Amino acid sequence: MERRLFLGSVAGAFLTTACGGGDDGGEPVNPAEPELPVDPDPFRQSTKLAMRRAARYMDESVSSSGAYVWSYLAANRNKCWGEMEATPTMVWMQPTGTPSVGHALIDAYHATKDETFYKAAERTALVMVEAQHASGGWNYIHDLAGEPALKRWYETVGANGWRLEEFQHYYGNATFDDATTAVSAQFMLRMYLEKKDPRFKAALDKAIAFVLDAQFKSGVVAGGWPQRFPRAYNATKAMPAPNWPPTGPGWEQLVAGNQNGDYIVQGPGGVPGQPGYTGIFSGMEDGDYTNFVTFNDDVMGENIKFLMLASFGLGDMSLKAPAVAAMDCMYNIMYEYDGDTTKASNPNATATPQAGWGLQHLSADTVDAYGVLRKAGLPAAARSYEPRGLSPSVSITNATQLFHYFRLTGDRKYLSKLGKVFDWIDTCALRNNQRSRTAERPDGDPESILTGTHARVVELESNRPRFPHRYGTNIHNGAYFIDHDWRRTPGHYGASQNASTAGPRATLARMQALSNAEIAAMVASSPLNVQGERALPTYFTVNGEVDFPHLWANAVKGTAARSQEQTQTLIDSLGEKSHWSEPQSTFTNAYTQDGPSTPYLGKEYMSTHVGDQFDTSPFGSNQMPAKEPYVSSPPVAEQVINSSTFVGNLGNLVSFIAPVATVNDPAYKA
């Protein structure tokens, strides 16, 4: 059925609809198949027919009226998943869900001119219009059965996903996290520009207004974005910590005054009389993180990119000023500590200077969990396993963004502090004995699972790494805590990451060596200087996503080379079944009831991806705890249909039948 038939009464229409929008024996969604333009090359024509078969199957037999999650059991599409297990009526807006499939369909339409792809993309766009929050953004998920059904999911499956704290509470607003709103808004922009359909213009206007309304308007954070918007004043400000702290054999490091890693600490909750010191802590150090300026998952870069795409896609030059304001926010908010210990608030401060960014920064003056007033702009904690501090990896990402901002504007200020950032990162690399033992690191700690060069988070002023841990078996009898011990960190969260400064230092040197004339030529071709309307890149999902270099005046985003042999292999794998499938690699425990609150002092769950059988977090087949009290049998891998595989394979076929040559703007300085 066409999507418009459902807009008035969704709940009733979808109560009997599976995650798949149809079944192999039912009536097709679009019975009148558009005529396929004839290609004189028989193999190219067969490739286009294969693409059509795959797209029709996804649209008619997998989607829920154009909506997608991440993966489906091929044999029973009522069993489906986004980042967590989904219900049959869910729309998953996080990439690689609904908007990612929509982008791939439009890419295929551009390559084939086959209306089949546009009609499927149109259904996807219409369900996204329905899923759009009243404020103009999108939440991670939407439920076609209505808000009560979505709330029930949050109260059951979401609430018991131990490590997925963003799904444990229903906020009723929209999010920038994981590019959820940015990728959805990009797709709505493309759908409107394709045929100037007013239905999509209204949704696009709301999305643009959302991005602009959500920007902070004043102070050091002006131009930045929060993780979620509008602000939810009922947001979680503190995580529960049942049975904290665990005591007894094996937990001596949590007793005041005992050894914790390399450091003597003063016990749970910080040091009495020395507010701000965070030796061992369980909870959320800075409260509700959803309103902080967010750098995690490149929120800033994704939103700036969308504003620029919209500016020359629509010819709306007014969108450039908010983009520049966001660039200035990233520059202005950078944290600096000059090494003067007499001015430090941390009693363990060292004389080592620091410069960089955290995953998030305070958007307003905030009283933290220690009772200390902290100023807007300072690095902040987020989820309970994301402590306050600087992140070397995020700082490398932000430095890369500032390189882009320099290229866009020609303003040398964006480069002016990056040398300090790279100097700091080189001071805080993990020691060999803090990382996991390998042939290259025979002195590595056998209890460490850290493989990256740096801790994800480094403490302010002391320059010491901070590591997340957890105790218990599920969210009802356990929690996360933070200390300085590198051993037994959670397997689901990279407590270490790579943060090499060699490449960024070389880029900085090249940027600093540019002459004024070279900078002027580069800026003249910048998308900030494009006047009026301009065509968007032809493809958004083929050969990687659209990025800043593709937006320069004389640049063309191209496709990767694909041979006839590679294309035939993809067509063969599609087979008679008309869909691509693969063995399941991610599993979940079905929600049955809340887990037990009985204290558990074992350590079997400290480094696992999942807790006991009541934890609804996803995990791989080799990521289950090996010991009791986990009582479930190892999962059996079945065949699944993954949205990401469809997107990737369709893009590979596009690359073969309608390749586009890459063109790098000569004025763009790589």
Coordinates of all heavy atoms in Angstrom, one line a residue, residues 162 239-248 251 254 268 282 470-481 595-601:
W162 N 22.2 -2.6 29.6 CA 23.1 -2.1 30.7 C 24.1 -1.0 30.1 O 24.3 0.0 30.8 CB 23.9 -3.3 31.2 CG 24.7 -3.0 32.5 CD1 24.6 -1.9 33.3 CD2 25.6 -3.9 33.2 NE1 25.4 -2.0 34.4 CE2 26.0 -3.2 34.3 CE3 26.1 -5.2 32.9 CZ2 26.9 -3.8 35.2 CZ3 26.9 -5.7 33.8 CH2 27.4 -5.1 34.9
M239 N 23.1 8.4 37.5 CA 22.8 7.0 37.3 C 22.7 6.3 38.6 O 23.4 6.6 39.6 CB 23.9 6.4 36.5 CG 23.9 6.9 35.0 SD 22.4 6.4 34.1 CE 22.6 4.6 34.1
P240 N 21.8 5.3 38.7 CA 21.8 4.5 40.0 C 23.0 3.7 40.1 O 23.6 3.3 39.1 CB 20.5 3.6 39.7 CG 20.4 3.5 38.3 CD 20.8 4.9 37.7
A241 N 23.4 3.5 41.4 CA 24.6 2.7 41.6 C 24.3 1.7 42.7 O 24.8 1.8 43.9 CB 25.8 3.5 42.0
P242 N 23.5 0.7 42.5 CA 23.1 -0.3 43.5 C 24.3 -1.1 44.0 O 25.2 -1.4 43.2 CB 22.1 -1.2 42.8 CG 22.5 -1.1 41.3 CD 22.9 0.3 41.1
N243 N 24.3 -1.3 45.3 CA 25.4 -2.2 45.9 C 26.8 -1.5 45.7 O 27.8 -2.2 45.8 CB 25.4 -3.6 45.3 CG 24.1 -4.2 45.3 OD1 23.4 -4.2 46.3 ND2 23.7 -4.8 44.2
W244 N 26.8 -0.2 45.6 CA 28.1 0.5 45.5 C 28.6 0.9 46.9 O 27.9 1.5 47.6 CB 28.0 1.7 44.6 CG 29.2 2.6 44.6 CD1 29.3 3.8 45.2 CD2 30.4 2.4 43.9 NE1 30.6 4.4 45.0 CE2 31.3 3.5 44.2 CE3 30.9 1.3 43.2 CZ2 32.6 3.6 43.7 CZ3 32.2 1.4 42.7 CH2 33.0 2.5 43.0
P245 N 29.9 0.8 47.2 CA 30.9 0.1 46.4 C 30.9 -1.4 46.7 O 30.6 -1.8 47.9 CB 32.2 0.7 46.8 CG 32.0 1.1 48.2 CD 30.5 1.5 48.3
P246 N 31.3 -2.3 45.8 CA 31.4 -3.7 46.2 C 32.6 -3.8 47.1 O 33.7 -3.2 46.9 CB 31.7 -4.4 44.8 CG 32.2 -3.3 43.9 CD 31.6 -2.0 44.4
T247 N 32.5 -4.6 48.1 CA 33.6 -4.8 49.1 C 33.9 -6.3 49.2 O 33.0 -7.2 48.9 CB 33.2 -4.2 50.4 OG1 32.0 -4.9 50.9 CG2 33.0 -2.7 50.4
G248 N 35.1 -6.6 49.7 CA 35.4 -8.0 49.9 C 36.6 -8.4 49.1 O 37.2 -7.5 48.4
W251 N 38.2 -6.6 45.7 CA 37.8 -5.2 45.5 C 38.5 -4.3 46.5 O 38.0 -3.2 46.7 CB 36.3 -5.2 45.8 CG 35.5 -6.0 44.8 CD1 35.0 -7.2 45.0 CD2 35.1 -5.6 43.5 NE1 34.3 -7.7 43.9 CE2 34.4 -6.7 42.9 CE3 35.4 -4.5 42.7 CZ2 33.9 -6.7 41.6 CZ3 34.9 -4.5 41.4 CH2 34.2 -5.6 40.9
L254 N 39.1 -0.5 45.9 CA 38.1 0.5 46.1 C 38.0 1.0 47.6 O 37.2 1.9 47.9 CB 36.7 0.0 45.7 CG 36.6 -0.5 44.3 CD1 35.2 -0.9 43.9 CD2 37.0 0.6 43.3
P268 N 35.8 5.9 47.3 CA 34.7 6.3 46.4 C 34.2 7.7 46.7 O 34.1 8.2 47.8 CB 33.6 5.2 46.7 CG 34.4 4.1 47.3 CD 35.5 4.7 48.1
S282 N 31.5 6.8 40.9 CA 30.4 6.0 40.2 C 29.3 7.0 40.0 O 28.8 7.6 41.0 CB 30.0 4.8 41.0 OG 29.0 4.1 40.3
R470 N 33.2 -1.8 35.5 CA 31.9 -2.1 36.1 C 31.9 -3.3 37.0 O 32.8 -4.1 37.0 CB 30.9 -2.3 34.9 CG 31.0 -3.5 34.1 CD 29.9 -3.6 33.0 NE 30.0 -4.7 32.2 CZ 29.2 -4.9 31.1 NH1 28.3 -4.0 30.8 NH2 29.3 -6.0 30.4
Y471 N 30.9 -3.3 37.8 CA 30.7 -4.5 38.8 C 29.3 -5.0 38.6 O 28.4 -4.3 38.1 CB 31.0 -4.0 40.2 CG 30.0 -3.0 40.7 CD1 28.9 -3.4 41.4 CD2 30.2 -1.6 40.5 CE1 28.0 -2.5 41.9 CE2 29.3 -0.7 41.0 CZ 28.2 -1.1 41.7 OH 27.2 -0.2 42.1
G472 N 29.0 -6.1 39.2 CA 27.7 -6.7 39.1 C 27.5 -7.5 37.8 O 28.4 -7.8 37.1
T473 N 26.2 -7.8 37.5 CA 25.9 -8.6 36.3 C 24.8 -7.9 35.4 O 24.6 -8.3 34.3 CB 25.3 -9.9 36.7 OG1 24.0 -9.8 37.3 CG2 26.2 -10.7 37.7
N474 N 24.2 -6.9 35.9 CA 23.2 -6.2 35.1 C 22.9 -4.8 35.7 O 23.5 -4.4 36.7 CB 21.8 -7.0 35.0 CG 21.2 -7.2 36.4 OD1 20.8 -6.2 37.0 ND2 21.2 -8.4 36.8
I475 N 22.1 -4.0 35.1 CA 21.9 -2.6 35.5 C 21.2 -2.5 36.9 O 21.2 -1.5 37.5 CB 21.1 -1.8 34.5 CG1 21.2 -0.3 34.7 CG2 19.7 -2.3 34.4 CD1 20.7 0.5 33.6
H476 N 20.6 -3.6 37.3 CA 19.8 -3.6 38.6 C 20.7 -4.0 39.8 O 20.3 -3.7 40.9 CB 18.6 -4.4 38.5 CG 17.7 -4.0 37.4 ND1 16.9 -2.9 37.5 CD2 17.5 -4.5 36.1 CE1 16.2 -2.7 36.4 NE2 16.5 -3.7 35.5
N477 N 21.8 -4.6 39.6 CA 22.7 -5.0 40.7 C 24.1 -4.5 40.5 O 24.9 -4.7 41.4 CB 22.7 -6.5 41.0 CG 23.4 -7.3 39.9 OD1 23.9 -6.7 38.9 ND2 23.3 -8.6 40.0
G478 N 24.4 -3.8 39.4 CA 25.7 -3.3 39.2 C 25.7 -1.9 38.6 O 24.6 -1.3 38.3
A479 N 26.9 -1.4 38.3 CA 27.0 -0.1 37.7 C 28.5 0.1 37.2 O 29.3 -0.8 37.4 CB 26.7 1.0 38.8
Y480 N 28.7 1.2 36.6 CA 30.0 1.6 36.1 C 30.7 2.5 37.1 O 30.0 3.2 37.9 CB 29.9 2.3 34.8 CG 29.5 1.4 33.6 CD1 28.2 1.2 33.4 CD2 30.5 0.8 32.9 CE1 27.8 0.4 32.3 CE2 30.1 -0.1 31.8 CZ 28.7 -0.3 31.6 OH 28.3 -1.1 30.6
F481 N 32.0 2.4 37.2 CA 32.8 3.4 38.0 C 34.1 3.7 37.3 O 34.5 3.0 36.3 CB 33.0 2.8 39.4 CG 33.9 1.6 39.4 CD1 35.3 1.7 39.6 CD2 33.4 0.3 39.3 CE1 36.1 0.5 39.7 CE2 34.2 -0.8 39.4 CZ 35.5 -0.7 39.6
G595 N 16.4 -7.6 35.6 CA 17.3 -8.5 36.2 C 17.3 -8.4 37.7 O 16.7 -7.5 38.3
P596 N 17.9 -9.3 38.4 CA 18.0 -9.4 39.9 C 18.8 -8.2 40.4 O 19.8 -7.8 39.8 CB 18.6 -10.7 40.2 CG 19.4 -11.0 39.0 CD 18.7 -10.4 37.8
S597 N 18.4 -7.8 41.6 CA 19.2 -6.7 42.3 C 20.2 -7.3 43.3 O 20.9 -6.6 44.0 CB 18.3 -5.7 43.0 OG 17.4 -6.4 43.9
T598 N 20.2 -8.6 43.5 CA 21.1 -9.3 44.4 C 22.5 -8.9 44.2 O 23.0 -9.0 43.0 CB 20.9 -10.8 44.4 OG1 19.5 -11.1 44.5 CG2 21.7 -11.5 45.5
P599 N 23.3 -8.5 45.2 CA 24.7 -8.2 45.0 C 25.5 -9.3 44.4 O 25.2 -10.5 44.7 CB 25.2 -7.8 46.4 CG 24.0 -7.4 47.1 CD 22.9 -8.2 46.6
Y600 N 26.4 -9.0 43.5 CA 27.3 -10.0 42.9 C 28.7 -9.5 42.9 O 29.0 -8.4 42.4 CB 26.8 -10.3 41.4 CG 27.7 -11.3 40.7 CD1 27.5 -12.7 41.0 CD2 28.6 -11.0 39.8 CE1 28.2 -13.7 40.4 CE2 29.4 -12.0 39.2 CZ 29.2 -13.3 39.5 OH 30.0 -14.3 38.9
L601 N 29.6 -10.3 43.5 CA 31.0 -9.8 43.7 C 32.0 -10.5 42.8 O 33.2 -10.2 42.8 CB 31.4 -10.1 45.2 CG 30.6 -9.3 46.2 CD1 31.1 -9.7 47.6 CD2 30.7 -7.8 46.0

